[in-house]
Amino acid sequence: MLTPRHQALLMTLAGMTVGVAVFGTVLAINGNGDDDQRSTDVVTSQTSPTPTPRGDGLQADSLQYAAQTFGTDRSPVSAEVPVTWKAHQDGERPRFLDPTGVWQIRFDTRGSSKSPERQVSDRERSIKEEQLNVLSRDNGTLVYTYVDKARGPRMGLSRWISTDNGDSSAIEITVGGRPQDEAALRDVLERATRSLHLPDAGSRPN
């Protein structure tokens, strides 16, 4: 038979056992919570950002045009070019660049005794750029792509215009940009061709 002293001792031991069990359960719960949080943090830190889609290129309907005059005082030439493309060279071989330097149009008003078809062939052979790919060479116009070491893929459209039924070339117009800008580059070339005014050949070359 237990004495009152022994009963009190047993009750004390039982209470301590329950306390330890409860404390261990609390630690287990807290420990699991920390593990879950650490796991979430790792997953979050490894999530890749969503890539930003690339643009579709220069849009033809975003361009506005204005006439520019160049050439010489005795033989002035004019044509319409995009208003934000500024002259970086004048005279007989003017060049107009957009503010970013990505797109340009240039003219060569010196003329040549070579026909437009001959000019196309000669230009094609003279291009030394990497990965040259000629897309077309019709009607005195050479369309091609290449890879520039500094700027990446590029596109050029060069046109020679005759005022004597193709016997010689009066002027060259070249437009440059990127392959994704092709529709707008063609629009720039056509606009310059339609608006071209040469001193000795009327305002609309054939």
Side-chain angles (χ1 to χ4, degrees), residues 68-70 81-107:
Q68 297 285 348
T69 300
F70 40 88
V81 303
V83 294
T84 59
W85 297 16
K86 302 304 180 182
H88 284 246
Q89 184 174 326
D90 55 13
E92 293 182 297
R93 303 179 67 187
R95 186 163 58 108
F96 300 86
L97 278 73
D98 84 286
T100 67
V102 175
W103 311 293
Q104 67 170 305
I105 181 171
R106 61 179 176 82
F107 301 84

mmCIF file of all heavy atoms in Angstrom, residues 68-70 81-107:
data_model
loop_
_atom_site.group_PDB
_atom_site.id
_atom_site.type_symbol
_atom_site.label_atom_id
_atom_site.label_comp_id
_atom_site.label_asym_id
_atom_site.label_seq_id
_atom_site.Cartn_x
_atom_site.Cartn_y
_atom_site.Cartn_z
ATOM 1 N N GLN A 68 12.683 65.525 -99.207
ATOM 2 C CA GLN A 68 14.044 65.970 -98.929
ATOM 3 C C GLN A 68 14.736 66.273 -100.258
ATOM 4 O O GLN A 68 14.575 65.541 -101.238
ATOM 5 C CB GLN A 68 14.825 64.890 -98.179
ATOM 6 C CG GLN A 68 14.271 64.537 -96.811
ATOM 7 C CD GLN A 68 14.576 65.602 -95.775
ATOM 8 O OE1 GLN A 68 15.383 66.509 -96.010
ATOM 9 N NE2 GLN A 68 13.931 65.509 -94.619
ATOM 10 N N THR A 69 15.511 67.332 -100.271
ATOM 11 C CA THR A 69 16.230 67.714 -101.481
ATOM 12 C C THR A 69 17.730 67.492 -101.277
ATOM 13 O O THR A 69 18.278 67.824 -100.221
ATOM 14 C CB THR A 69 15.972 69.185 -101.837
ATOM 15 O OG1 THR A 69 14.568 69.367 -102.043
ATOM 16 C CG2 THR A 69 16.711 69.575 -103.104
ATOM 17 N N PHE A 70 18.370 66.938 -102.288
ATOM 18 C CA PHE A 70 19.802 66.648 -102.203
ATOM 19 C C PHE A 70 20.382 66.720 -103.605
ATOM 20 O O PHE A 70 19.770 67.312 -104.498
ATOM 21 C CB PHE A 70 20.054 65.281 -101.558
ATOM 22 C CG PHE A 70 19.080 64.213 -101.999
ATOM 23 C CD1 PHE A 70 19.322 63.444 -103.124
ATOM 24 C CD2 PHE A 70 17.896 64.002 -101.301
ATOM 25 C CE1 PHE A 70 18.430 62.474 -103.547
ATOM 26 C CE2 PHE A 70 16.992 63.033 -101.713
ATOM 27 C CZ PHE A 70 17.262 62.262 -102.831
ATOM 28 N N VAL A 81 11.115 60.813 -97.731
ATOM 29 C CA VAL A 81 11.692 59.844 -96.797
ATOM 30 C C VAL A 81 10.957 59.997 -95.468
ATOM 31 O O VAL A 81 10.304 61.018 -95.220
ATOM 32 C CB VAL A 81 13.209 60.073 -96.605
ATOM 33 C CG1 VAL A 81 13.940 60.010 -97.934
ATOM 34 C CG2 VAL A 81 13.469 61.394 -95.920
ATOM 35 N N PRO A 82 11.030 59.002 -94.583
ATOM 36 C CA PRO A 82 10.374 59.130 -93.275
ATOM 37 C C PRO A 82 10.853 60.379 -92.536
ATOM 38 O O PRO A 82 12.051 60.689 -92.525
ATOM 39 C CB PRO A 82 10.780 57.840 -92.556
ATOM 40 C CG PRO A 82 10.968 56.840 -93.659
ATOM 41 C CD PRO A 82 11.588 57.638 -94.770
ATOM 42 N N VAL A 83 9.921 61.084 -91.905
ATOM 43 C CA VAL A 83 10.247 62.390 -91.313
ATOM 44 C C VAL A 83 11.241 62.291 -90.161
ATOM 45 O O VAL A 83 11.990 63.238 -89.901
ATOM 46 C CB VAL A 83 8.962 63.105 -90.827
ATOM 47 C CG1 VAL A 83 8.081 63.459 -92.001
ATOM 48 C CG2 VAL A 83 8.201 62.237 -89.811
ATOM 49 N N THR A 84 11.265 61.174 -89.455
ATOM 50 C CA THR A 84 12.179 61.056 -88.314
ATOM 51 C C THR A 84 13.564 60.568 -88.716
ATOM 52 O O THR A 84 14.456 60.487 -87.875
ATOM 53 C CB THR A 84 11.606 60.093 -87.261
ATOM 54 O OG1 THR A 84 11.395 58.809 -87.860
ATOM 55 C CG2 THR A 84 10.283 60.620 -86.706
ATOM 56 N N TRP A 85 13.760 60.238 -89.978
ATOM 57 C CA TRP A 85 15.066 59.792 -90.450
ATOM 58 C C TRP A 85 15.862 61.019 -90.887
ATOM 59 O O TRP A 85 15.496 61.713 -91.839
ATOM 60 C CB TRP A 85 14.922 58.807 -91.604
ATOM 61 C CG TRP A 85 14.203 57.531 -91.234
ATOM 62 C CD1 TRP A 85 13.427 57.312 -90.128
ATOM 63 C CD2 TRP A 85 14.171 56.320 -91.986
ATOM 64 N NE1 TRP A 85 12.915 56.042 -90.141
ATOM 65 C CE2 TRP A 85 13.357 55.403 -91.268
ATOM 66 C CE3 TRP A 85 14.742 55.925 -93.191
ATOM 67 C CZ2 TRP A 85 13.104 54.107 -91.724
ATOM 68 C CZ3 TRP A 85 14.490 54.633 -93.655
ATOM 69 C CH2 TRP A 85 13.698 53.742 -92.930
ATOM 70 N N LYS A 86 16.946 61.287 -90.209
ATOM 71 C CA LYS A 86 17.702 62.511 -90.406
ATOM 72 C C LYS A 86 18.930 62.278 -91.287
ATOM 73 O O LYS A 86 19.538 61.212 -91.275
ATOM 74 C CB LYS A 86 18.131 63.086 -89.055
ATOM 75 C CG LYS A 86 16.961 63.373 -88.119
ATOM 76 C CD LYS A 86 15.931 64.303 -88.753
ATOM 77 C CE LYS A 86 14.774 64.588 -87.813
ATOM 78 N NZ LYS A 86 13.740 65.448 -88.455
ATOM 79 N N ALA A 87 19.290 63.328 -92.035
ATOM 80 C CA ALA A 87 20.433 63.254 -92.949
ATOM 81 C C ALA A 87 21.735 63.161 -92.174
ATOM 82 O O ALA A 87 22.002 63.973 -91.291
ATOM 83 C CB ALA A 87 20.446 64.466 -93.874
ATOM 84 N N HIS A 88 22.545 62.171 -92.482
ATOM 85 C CA HIS A 88 23.873 62.028 -91.905
ATOM 86 C C HIS A 88 24.948 62.218 -92.975
ATOM 87 O O HIS A 88 26.135 62.090 -92.697
ATOM 88 C CB HIS A 88 24.024 60.655 -91.241
ATOM 89 C CG HIS A 88 23.323 60.554 -89.929
ATOM 90 N ND1 HIS A 88 23.987 60.393 -88.739
ATOM 91 C CD2 HIS A 88 22.010 60.611 -89.611
ATOM 92 C CE1 HIS A 88 23.120 60.344 -87.736
ATOM 93 N NE2 HIS A 88 21.916 60.475 -88.250
ATOM 94 N N GLN A 89 24.492 62.473 -94.180
ATOM 95 C CA GLN A 89 25.415 62.739 -95.286
ATOM 96 C C GLN A 89 24.582 63.391 -96.384
ATOM 97 O O GLN A 89 23.437 62.996 -96.612
ATOM 98 C CB GLN A 89 26.045 61.439 -95.796
ATOM 99 C CG GLN A 89 27.091 61.619 -96.878
ATOM 100 C CD GLN A 89 27.757 60.297 -97.220
ATOM 101 O OE1 GLN A 89 27.950 59.440 -96.372
ATOM 102 N NE2 GLN A 89 28.103 60.129 -98.484
ATOM 103 N N ASP A 90 25.099 64.420 -97.028
ATOM 104 C CA ASP A 90 24.328 65.093 -98.071
ATOM 105 C C ASP A 90 25.086 65.050 -99.383
ATOM 106 O O ASP A 90 25.954 64.203 -99.590
ATOM 107 C CB ASP A 90 24.002 66.528 -97.642
ATOM 108 C CG ASP A 90 25.264 67.318 -97.277
ATOM 109 O OD1 ASP A 90 26.381 66.841 -97.595
ATOM 110 O OD2 ASP A 90 25.133 68.409 -96.691
ATOM 111 N N GLY A 91 24.753 65.960 -100.280
ATOM 112 C CA GLY A 91 25.422 65.973 -101.568
ATOM 113 C C GLY A 91 24.842 64.946 -102.516
ATOM 114 O O GLY A 91 23.639 64.666 -102.513
ATOM 115 N N GLU A 92 25.706 64.361 -103.328
ATOM 116 C CA GLU A 92 25.263 63.408 -104.348
ATOM 117 C C GLU A 92 24.997 62.010 -103.795
ATOM 118 O O GLU A 92 24.389 61.194 -104.492
ATOM 119 C CB GLU A 92 26.318 63.323 -105.461
ATOM 120 C CG GLU A 92 26.463 64.596 -106.260
ATOM 121 C CD GLU A 92 27.472 64.448 -107.366
ATOM 122 O OE1 GLU A 92 28.665 64.209 -107.043
ATOM 123 O OE2 GLU A 92 27.087 64.547 -108.542
ATOM 124 N N ARG A 93 25.429 61.740 -102.562
ATOM 125 C CA ARG A 93 25.211 60.420 -101.958
ATOM 126 C C ARG A 93 24.646 60.579 -100.542
ATOM 127 O O ARG A 93 25.265 60.165 -99.562
ATOM 128 C CB ARG A 93 26.523 59.625 -101.937
ATOM 129 C CG ARG A 93 27.151 59.455 -103.303
ATOM 130 C CD ARG A 93 28.451 58.680 -103.229
ATOM 131 N NE ARG A 93 28.218 57.297 -102.835
ATOM 132 C CZ ARG A 93 29.193 56.424 -102.561
ATOM 133 N NH1 ARG A 93 30.454 56.811 -102.601
ATOM 134 N NH2 ARG A 93 28.899 55.199 -102.218
ATOM 135 N N PRO A 94 23.462 61.161 -100.428
ATOM 136 C CA PRO A 94 22.889 61.402 -99.101
ATOM 137 C C PRO A 94 22.426 60.107 -98.442
ATOM 138 O O PRO A 94 22.071 59.133 -99.112
ATOM 139 C CB PRO A 94 21.701 62.318 -99.396
ATOM 140 C CG PRO A 94 21.282 61.917 -100.767
ATOM 141 C CD PRO A 94 22.557 61.613 -101.498
ATOM 142 N N ARG A 95 22.425 60.153 -97.116
ATOM 143 C CA ARG A 95 21.995 58.988 -96.321
ATOM 144 C C ARG A 95 21.141 59.504 -95.170
ATOM 145 O O ARG A 95 21.522 60.441 -94.471
ATOM 146 C CB ARG A 95 23.221 58.234 -95.798
ATOM 147 C CG ARG A 95 22.920 56.930 -95.091
ATOM 148 C CD ARG A 95 24.190 56.089 -94.999
ATOM 149 N NE ARG A 95 25.259 56.790 -94.310
ATOM 150 C CZ ARG A 95 25.677 56.476 -93.067
ATOM 151 N NH1 ARG A 95 25.101 55.495 -92.395
ATOM 152 N NH2 ARG A 95 26.654 57.143 -92.511
ATOM 153 N N PHE A 96 19.981 58.880 -94.972
ATOM 154 C CA PHE A 96 19.059 59.271 -93.911
ATOM 155 C C PHE A 96 18.873 58.090 -92.961
ATOM 156 O O PHE A 96 18.515 56.984 -93.400
ATOM 157 C CB PHE A 96 17.710 59.695 -94.494
ATOM 158 C CG PHE A 96 17.808 60.864 -95.438
ATOM 159 C CD1 PHE A 96 18.103 60.667 -96.783
ATOM 160 C CD2 PHE A 96 17.611 62.162 -94.987
ATOM 161 C CE1 PHE A 96 18.195 61.735 -97.663
ATOM 162 C CE2 PHE A 96 17.703 63.240 -95.858
ATOM 163 C CZ PHE A 96 18.000 63.026 -97.196
ATOM 164 N N LEU A 97 19.117 58.327 -91.657
ATOM 165 C CA LEU A 97 19.026 57.277 -90.647
ATOM 166 C C LEU A 97 17.951 57.610 -89.630
ATOM 167 O O LEU A 97 17.737 58.782 -89.295
ATOM 168 C CB LEU A 97 20.351 57.100 -89.908
ATOM 169 C CG LEU A 97 21.443 56.255 -90.569
ATOM 170 C CD1 LEU A 97 22.050 57.018 -91.739
ATOM 171 C CD2 LEU A 97 22.527 55.902 -89.563
ATOM 172 N N ASP A 98 17.289 56.563 -89.112
ATOM 173 C CA ASP A 98 16.357 56.782 -88.018
ATOM 174 C C ASP A 98 17.151 57.035 -86.740
ATOM 175 O O ASP A 98 18.357 56.759 -86.687
ATOM 176 C CB ASP A 98 15.434 55.566 -87.856
ATOM 177 C CG ASP A 98 16.064 54.482 -87.013
ATOM 178 O OD1 ASP A 98 16.988 53.795 -87.514
ATOM 179 O OD2 ASP A 98 15.668 54.323 -85.856
ATOM 180 N N PRO A 99 16.528 57.580 -85.682
ATOM 181 C CA PRO A 99 17.282 57.934 -84.469
ATOM 182 C C PRO A 99 18.019 56.774 -83.815
ATOM 183 O O PRO A 99 19.022 56.973 -83.143
ATOM 184 C CB PRO A 99 16.192 58.495 -83.538
ATOM 185 C CG PRO A 99 15.141 59.012 -84.461
ATOM 186 C CD PRO A 99 15.133 58.058 -85.628
ATOM 187 N N THR A 100 17.540 55.544 -83.994
ATOM 188 C CA THR A 100 18.201 54.397 -83.378
ATOM 189 C C THR A 100 19.326 53.836 -84.233
ATOM 190 O O THR A 100 20.120 53.024 -83.766
ATOM 191 C CB THR A 100 17.196 53.268 -83.103
ATOM 192 O OG1 THR A 100 16.727 52.725 -84.357
ATOM 193 C CG2 THR A 100 16.008 53.778 -82.295
ATOM 194 N N GLY A 101 19.387 54.231 -85.496
ATOM 195 C CA GLY A 101 20.413 53.713 -86.385
ATOM 196 C C GLY A 101 20.110 52.349 -86.956
ATOM 197 O O GLY A 101 20.957 51.747 -87.624
ATOM 198 N N VAL A 102 18.904 51.837 -86.736
ATOM 199 C CA VAL A 102 18.540 50.503 -87.222
ATOM 200 C C VAL A 102 18.147 50.541 -88.698
ATOM 201 O O VAL A 102 18.472 49.639 -89.464
ATOM 202 C CB VAL A 102 17.383 49.921 -86.376
ATOM 203 C CG1 VAL A 102 16.913 48.584 -86.957
ATOM 204 C CG2 VAL A 102 17.829 49.733 -84.938
ATOM 205 N N TRP A 103 17.441 51.597 -89.124
ATOM 206 C CA TRP A 103 16.932 51.688 -90.489
ATOM 207 C C TRP A 103 17.558 52.877 -91.203
ATOM 208 O O TRP A 103 17.885 53.900 -90.588
ATOM 209 C CB TRP A 103 15.403 51.832 -90.480
ATOM 210 C CG TRP A 103 14.751 50.815 -89.613
ATOM 211 C CD1 TRP A 103 14.700 49.455 -89.805
ATOM 212 C CD2 TRP A 103 14.075 51.048 -88.380
ATOM 213 N NE1 TRP A 103 14.032 48.848 -88.787
ATOM 214 C CE2 TRP A 103 13.628 49.794 -87.886
ATOM 215 C CE3 TRP A 103 13.783 52.189 -87.638
ATOM 216 C CZ2 TRP A 103 12.931 49.663 -86.690
ATOM 217 C CZ3 TRP A 103 13.086 52.051 -86.446
ATOM 218 C CH2 TRP A 103 12.664 50.795 -85.998
ATOM 219 N N GLN A 104 17.681 52.769 -92.514
ATOM 220 C CA GLN A 104 18.251 53.869 -93.281
ATOM 221 C C GLN A 104 17.816 53.796 -94.735
ATOM 222 O O GLN A 104 17.385 52.749 -95.228
ATOM 223 C CB GLN A 104 19.779 53.848 -93.211
ATOM 224 C CG GLN A 104 20.414 52.657 -93.917
ATOM 225 C CD GLN A 104 21.920 52.787 -94.035
ATOM 226 O OE1 GLN A 104 22.427 53.793 -94.563
ATOM 227 N NE2 GLN A 104 22.649 51.796 -93.541
ATOM 228 N N ILE A 105 17.928 54.931 -95.393
ATOM 229 C CA ILE A 105 17.761 54.987 -96.836
ATOM 230 C C ILE A 105 18.877 55.875 -97.373
ATOM 231 O O ILE A 105 19.221 56.893 -96.763
ATOM 232 C CB ILE A 105 16.372 55.544 -97.236
ATOM 233 C CG1 ILE A 105 16.238 55.556 -98.761
ATOM 234 C CG2 ILE A 105 16.128 56.925 -96.641
ATOM 235 C CD1 ILE A 105 14.822 55.895 -99.238
ATOM 236 N N ARG A 106 19.474 55.470 -98.477
ATOM 237 C CA ARG A 106 20.536 56.277 -99.076
ATOM 238 C C ARG A 106 20.319 56.353 -100.585
ATOM 239 O O ARG A 106 19.703 55.468 -101.192
ATOM 240 C CB ARG A 106 21.921 55.717 -98.756
ATOM 241 C CG ARG A 106 22.200 54.330 -99.247
ATOM 242 C CD ARG A 106 23.621 53.906 -98.874
ATOM 243 N NE ARG A 106 23.905 52.529 -99.241
ATOM 244 C CZ ARG A 106 24.266 52.127 -100.450
ATOM 245 N NH1 ARG A 106 24.383 53.015 -101.439
ATOM 246 N NH2 ARG A 106 24.512 50.856 -100.701
ATOM 247 N N PHE A 107 20.830 57.415 -101.165
ATOM 248 C CA PHE A 107 20.696 57.665 -102.594
ATOM 249 C C PHE A 107 22.084 57.874 -103.194
ATOM 250 O O PHE A 107 22.985 58.391 -102.534
ATOM 251 C CB PHE A 107 19.852 58.920 -102.845
ATOM 252 C CG PHE A 107 18.464 58.872 -102.271
ATOM 253 C CD1 PHE A 107 18.229 59.202 -100.939
ATOM 254 C CD2 PHE A 107 17.384 58.499 -103.064
ATOM 255 C CE1 PHE A 107 16.945 59.169 -100.411
ATOM 256 C CE2 PHE A 107 16.093 58.463 -102.543
ATOM 257 C CZ PHE A 107 15.878 58.806 -101.210
#
